[in-house]
Amino acid sequence: MNRKLVTALATPYANGRIDLNGYVKLLNYQIKNGADALLAVGTTAEGQLLNSCEKKLLIRAAKKLTENKKIPIYAGIEEFCTAKAVKEAVRAQEYGADALLIAPPTFCKCTAVGYVKHIESILDAVSVPLILYNVPSRAGYELDLAALTELKNKAAYIKDAGANAVFTKTAAKNYTVFCGNDELLSEQLSYGAKGVISVVSNAAPKLTKRVLSGEKDDIFVKLAKLSMREVNPIAIKYILYKKGLFKSCEMRLPLTKANAETIKAVDGFFEEYGAEIE
C-alpha cells in the first residue's frame, strides 16, 4: 500500500527572525529522503506565532523548492474566527499551497453546526482540498462525527491527532485519514489511516517511511515519545539542532527552549541511536 508521508515542518529562527537558510536545508533534507508532501505554517511550525509576511515567506520558499519535484505543499490554517480563517485560507492558496489543514476553532470552541458552517465558508472561498484536523489535546474537544458525516462529500481528508480508536475507525469509512500522533502511527494504520502528518519525520523521514510500510520499529517509537516530552515543537527543534539541520533550537515566546531534562534525554538518545536516524 502506498501510504503518504507528510512532514509537518518546523521553523528555524536566528535572533528572533526566520533562518531561511536553515529552512531550505530542512526542505532539501525532506526532498532527498522521500517526503511525499510538506506542511508549512502548521502547529509544528509555530504557525500561530508567525505574522502574515512570515507565513508567505515559508509557503513560497517551500513551493519554489519543490515545484519541479511534484511534492505538494500544504499550509496550516489556525484561525478560530471564521472570517479570519477564510482570509488566511485565500492568502495561503495565493502563495501556492496545494491543500489546507484546517485546525478546529479553539478557546471559543464551537457547536457542531458552527463547525460545519466554518468549514463550508472556507470551502466556498478556495479551490484547493481541505484536510480537517481532529486535535482534542489542543482544541479541547473531538470533532463531531455527525458533522463529519455532513461534510463527507465536501472534504476528503482528516488529520487525526486524537487517541480514540472509535473515532479513527469511523472517520476512515468516509475520509482518507492521516495519523497526527506519531506515537500511535502503527495503531492508527491498523484502524484504516492511509498516511501520517508527522513531527518525527522532520529529523527521520526514512525511519518514518519504514513504519508507514508496516515495519515495527522501537527506535521510531522512542523518537516519537521523545518529540512529545514538552509542548510541540520544543523537543523536535532541539532534535533538529542536535542533528545539525538547525543552527539553534530557538523558540518564540510564549514557547521556550528545551529544558535540561529534555536535552539530557535527547543527547542520550543520539549517543545510542544517532547513527541510525535518517
Side-chain angles (χ1 to χ4, degrees):
M1 181 182 294
N2 185 23
R3 292 166 170 160
K4 182 176 287 189
L5 169 60
V6 183
T7 297
L9 299 165
T11 303
Y13 301 120
N15 300 315
R17 304 184 69 176
I18 289 174
D19 176 8
L20 189 57
N21 289 333
Y23 187 62
V24 169
K25 189 173 183 179
L26 178 62
L27 290 169
N28 282 324
Y29 180 71
Q30 295 300 316
I31 294 166
K32 177 183 177 182
N33 289 288
D36 299 299
L38 301 171
L39 171 65
V41 303
T43 305
T44 306
E46 300 163 73
Q48 291 187 321
L49 308 181
L50 300 169
N51 63 41
S52 58
C53 291
E54 290 171 327
K55 291 180 181 181
K56 180 179 180 179
L57 173 66
L58 293 172
I59 295 170
R60 287 195 165 171
K63 187 69 177 178
K64 182 177 180 180
L65 205 61
T66 59
E67 60 186 350
N68 295 323
K69 304 181 187 300
K70 298 182 179 178
I71 299 175
I73 300 301
Y74 304 163
I77 305 298
E78 299 182 339
E79 290 285 355
F80 54 72
C81 168
T82 301
K84 291 180 180 178
V86 168
K87 289 180 180 179
E88 188 163 308
V90 170
R91 284 196 294 261
Q93 179 177 269
E94 290 173 350
Y95 301 156
D98 300 293
L100 304 173
L101 174 64
I102 312 298
T106 58
F107 194 73
C108 65
K109 303 187 179 182
C110 64
T111 62
V113 173
Y115 179 75
V116 170
K117 291 183 179 296
H118 181 78
I119 297 300
E120 288 178 336
S121 296
I122 298 170
L123 282 165
D124 287 343
V126 299
S127 58
V128 296
L130 302 190
I131 305 167
L132 310 184
Y133 192 179
N134 183 51
V135 57
S137 64
R138 289 181 181 268
Y141 61 95
E142 189 171 75
L143 294 186
D144 184 84
L145 288 171
L148 294 181
T149 299
E150 188 172 344
L151 289 166
K152 68 180 182 179
N153 295 321
K154 300 176 181 180
Y157 307 96
I158 288 178
K159 176 185 177 183
D160 182 13
N164 181 346
V166 173
F167 180 93
T168 308
K169 291 175 182 178
T170 304
K173 293 177 182 178
N174 295 318
Y175 291 86
T176 297
V177 174
F178 292 100
C179 173
N181 184 339
D182 287 303
E183 291 183 52
L184 299 179
L185 179 53
S186 292
E187 187 176 328
Q188 287 202 357
L189 291 173
S190 73
Y191 298 154
K194 303 300 184 187
V196 62
I197 298 178
S198 174
V199 175
V200 169
S201 62
N202 275 278
K206 284 186 177 179
L207 181 63
T208 309
K209 292 207 84 167
R210 290 203 296 271
V211 177
L212 276 175
S213 72
E215 290 185 29
K216 300 293 184 182
D217 196 300
D218 291 340
I219 297 177
F220 176 84
V221 174
K222 291 178 186 293
L223 188 56
K225 290 180 178 179
L226 197 58
S227 298
M228 292 296 123
R229 279 185 62 93
E230 298 187 64
V231 175
N232 184 45
I234 291 172
I236 194 63
K237 289 186 80 169
Y238 181 71
I239 292 168
L240 289 168
Y241 165 72
K242 185 74 177 178
K243 194 173 175 64
L245 288 167
F246 283 5
K247 290 181 180 179
S248 80
C249 54
E250 186 177 331
M251 306 294 298
R252 221 169 238 186
L253 287 171
L255 296 173
T256 53
K257 290 182 180 180
N259 63 32
E261 290 79 12
T262 297
I263 289 171
K264 182 179 179 180
V266 172
D267 289 352
F269 176 88
F270 270 86
E271 284 179 13
E272 189 167 358
Y273 303 110
E276 302 177 54
I277 303 303
E278 291 185 278

